[in-house]
Amino acid sequence: MSFANHVIIFLVAVPLAVAPVISLLRVRHLPWLMACITSLFVFVLSIQLTQSVLHSGDVTYALGSWPAPYGIELRAGALTAMMTVIVSGVSTMALWFGRYGIYVEVGEQRAHYFYAAWMLVLAGLLGIAVTGDAFNVFVFMEISSLATYVLIAGGPDRRALTAVLKYLIMGTIGATFYLIGVGLVYMMTGTLNFADMEIRLADVENLRPVLVAAGFITVGLALKAAIFPLHVWMPNAYTYAPSAVAVFLSACSTKIALFILLKFDFFVFQKNLAGHDVQFSWFLMPLAAIAIIFGSAVAINENNIKRLLGYSSVAQLGYILMGASFVTYLGLSGGILHIFNHALIKATLFMAVACVFYRVRSAELKDFAGIAQKMPWTMAAFVLAGVALIGVPFTAGFTSKWLLIKAALEAGVVGYLLLAVVLIGSLMALVYVWKVVELAYFKPATADLSRVSEAPLMMRIPLWIMVLMTLYFGIDPSYPVRLANAAAVSLLGHLS
């Protein structure tokens, strides 16, 4: 068997194996360099996996050559491949970007432990994406969650500890709910393999425990995904985490939970529970609409820019959820494409904010007054990413919102209401992005900025690579659109 056949297992095994090695490295910059190389290597493998999926269909891998459902199976379709590209790509850029900031915020003495925890988060998130086994999702979820608590608490702000405690409590409740749900499904089917569950549930006569399981799993994963109104842990976690960690988590952690929610619902429940697609729509659609309006409204009134971006994420997750709740080809394509676009845009925005934070040591909006004169490249990047977040044409955010609008127009009267929500949400995004731009460009400085200069070149290069990718995928979105369309076809294929 060639190396190409093992790509999917290397995605998880490599960062998992490298983590303990990094924790032993005490030479300055060597832990960072090894983490960067590992993350880049995994990103290249993700691209290779994506190409295989697009050309040859789903990729499967039986651990130890034990066939599923008796052995552990790894499986990658279009949606999985997209998630691996997002996780590994953002991880690589965030590590490169965070070289200076991590040493300042975490400290040189603890940096090697910090990078080891980063590798565990990377391995855990990729493991969740590629495993075909519901219990192993829980295992990888715990690996990534425990390591994430370490990353968030690693910063100098002691308020991170209370943010981590809240995240730990909510995350533990979410994981417990998920495990209870999986246990109930296992009790009824005798299997933990997703594909096997789908087949065996068709023969189950008493579906009441399965309905209960669907409720536990949905609520558990909604907590992990910070879906409104279960989002309370997220804004503070992003606010007090080290800047590079906020870049990584804002793009990946909630979206991987949403990915599992979609996978479980469409692969296991939709076909086997009568009317589940309607229940799925009518339960999640109102939450998505409220999330868009509520998240945007709170973001408008926030005075801390990291919390502003955190509540903006609550709204943007609403767009993804809305697309999924249509349970149509266009809706799913739009929602899945927005996972990709939002990861790119939000990581870019957090990078720009981190550049300013690195110079002025504050994330309060009032300290951004007049900053554009001192940091023109950084604020120009923020403006372009903000424009993409609003959904202006020729930026990445436009294509996914356009697909969501088309899906809403297909949905009749309810669709018109949702169309209004999408448009109002975009206008509200314009308001909170403009709030930052107005302060940075048109207000006189209220703090002493005489010693403030542009962010280091090594921070601006990855920042602007992300900006250029945001613009590129706005002009030519064919690659992510192809993946999103293939993922939508795959999910809907389980309903027939």
Side-chain angles (χ1 to χ4, degrees), residues 241-405:
S243 299
V245 175
V247 172
F248 185 28
L249 296 183
S250 65
C252 304
S253 68
T254 53
K255 293 174 186 67
I256 205 78
L258 263 180
F259 158 77
I260 287 296
L261 179 62
L262 294 182
K263 187 173 177 178
F264 225 121
D265 258 293
F266 281 85
F267 280 32
V268 179
F269 295 134
Q270 298 273 14
K271 185 178 179 180
N272 292 300
L273 297 176
H276 187 72
D277 53 340
V278 177
Q279 294 166 355
F280 180 83
S281 287
W282 285 103
F283 178 67
L284 294 180
M285 202 176 273
L287 293 182
I290 296 170
I292 292 170
I293 302 300
F294 171 83
S296 302
V298 177
I300 288 171
N301 289 293
E302 268 298 336
N303 291 317
N304 181 297
I305 194 165
K306 288 187 178 181
R307 283 179 64 82
L308 182 154
L309 294 179
Y311 278 104
S312 162
S313 289
V314 174
Q316 299 299 320
L317 289 170
Y319 290 111
I320 298 167
L321 206 59
M322 179 186 287
S325 67
F326 285 121
V327 196
T328 61
Y329 173 74
L330 269 177
L332 282 166
S333 291
I336 293 167
L337 184 61
H338 205 63
I339 292 177
F340 181 89
N341 289 340
H342 180 250
L344 194 60
I345 295 166
K346 194 48 67 75
T348 309
L349 286 168
F350 267 105
M351 279 184 177
V353 170
C355 286
V356 178
F357 184 81
Y358 182 72
R359 290 303 194 201
V360 303
R361 293 281 181 264
S362 172
E364 294 299 318
L365 269 178
K366 60 182 174 57
D367 295 320
F368 278 58
I371 198 71
Q373 294 179 11
K374 297 290 183 177
M375 305 181 73
W377 284 98
T378 298
M379 288 316 299
F382 183 92
V383 170
L384 290 172
V387 165
L389 188 73
I390 295 163
V392 173
F394 305 113
T395 63
F398 172 74
T399 317
S400 46
K401 285 192 177 178
W402 178 245
L403 288 177
L404 290 176
I405 288 171

Side-chain angles (χ1 to χ4, degrees), residues 17 26 84 119 156 168 217 236 241 332 335-336 357 360 414 441 487:
R26 304 299 172 95
T84 61
M119 289 296 100
L168 189 151
I217 289 170
N236 278 348
L332 282 166
I336 293 167
F357 184 81
V360 303
V414 175
Y441 282 91

